[in-house]
Amino acid sequence: MEKTFIMVKPDGLERRLTGEIIRRFENRGLILQEMKMLTPDRTLAEAHYAVHRERPFFGELVSFITSGPVVAMVWEGPDVIKLTRTMIGATKPAEALPGTIRGDYTAELQKNLIHGSDSPESAQYEIDLWFGSK
Ligand code: UDP
Ligand code: MG
């Protein structure tokens, strides 16, 4: 069964939305495989967002992700990478539809509550990075 890496970002914990996010995935029938709470250090945050290293928002993004605790998780289910991306909603706030996590709880581009892997390759990379090889 396919696995994906999901992370509740610092704004999600600050806003007490971790339970709501987990509830949505559990209600959908997905299986929680791994979970831990930690404040990522710079090295981990930079590795996680390595694909964005050259983007103008990279520095601010790393500062944001290291600003407080996150909840890192591995979820399993059929087509779980695409399915969770659909449930998370679009990156651009105006395109995040109501009914999605971002579309229901945030209107910000950076503080958008949650990360989800966007492809099988990034899921493998991120699961290895956060949880070791699994
Ligand atoms: N982000 C940002 N400014 C931008 C684009 C993205 O601050 O112009 C942040 C935002 O938190 C986003 C993360 O960088 O979730 C990673 O961007 P990506 O395009 O991969 O979006 P995602 O995959 O999270 O939807
Ligand atoms: Mg992304």
Side-chain angles (χ1 to χ4, degrees):
M1 194 85 79
E2 192 171 85
K3 289 179 184 171
T4 194
F5 176 75
I6 298 287
M7 169 175 62
V8 182
K9 298 181 180 182
D11 56 326
L13 276 98
E14 204 170 295
R15 292 179 58 194
R16 318 291 194 258
L17 287 169
T18 308
E20 167 64 18
I21 288 167
I22 291 172
R23 185 187 66 79
R24 286 181 176 224
F25 292 142
E26 285 192 325
N27 283 353
R28 196 72 195 268
L30 305 180
I31 300 160
L32 182 58
Q33 289 284 356
E34 303 275 354
M35 177 162 77
K36 63 181 176 188
M37 186 169 122
L38 71 159
T39 300
D41 61 19
R42 219 181 161 74
T43 307
L44 177 57
E46 287 182 353
H48 175 74
Y49 280 124
V51 290
H52 295 311
R53 190 172 287 278
E54 305 306 325
R55 309 281 289 278
F57 59 83
F58 182 72
E60 268 189 40
L61 178 57
V62 168
S63 297
F64 165 52
I65 289 299
T66 56
S67 68
V70 304
V71 172
M73 297 174 276
V74 176
W75 285 85
E76 184 178 289
D79 212 2
V80 71
I81 298 169
K82 268 193 198 160
L83 189 149
T84 49
R85 290 285 296 192
T86 301
M87 291 176 73
I88 287 167
T91 312
K92 288 185 184 163
E95 292 171 11
L97 298 177
T100 65
I101 294 165
R102 288 173 177 167
D104 285 348
Y105 292 107
T106 183
E108 291 193 43
L109 179 56
Q110 182 189 79
K111 292 188 172 183
N112 59 8
L113 300 171
I114 179 166
H115 166 86
S117 309
D118 63 3
S119 68
E121 295 71 30
S122 64
Q124 191 58 59
Y125 173 78
E126 291 164 7
I127 291 168
D128 286 351
L129 179 67
W130 290 80
F131 289 98
S133 232
K134 286 213 160 69

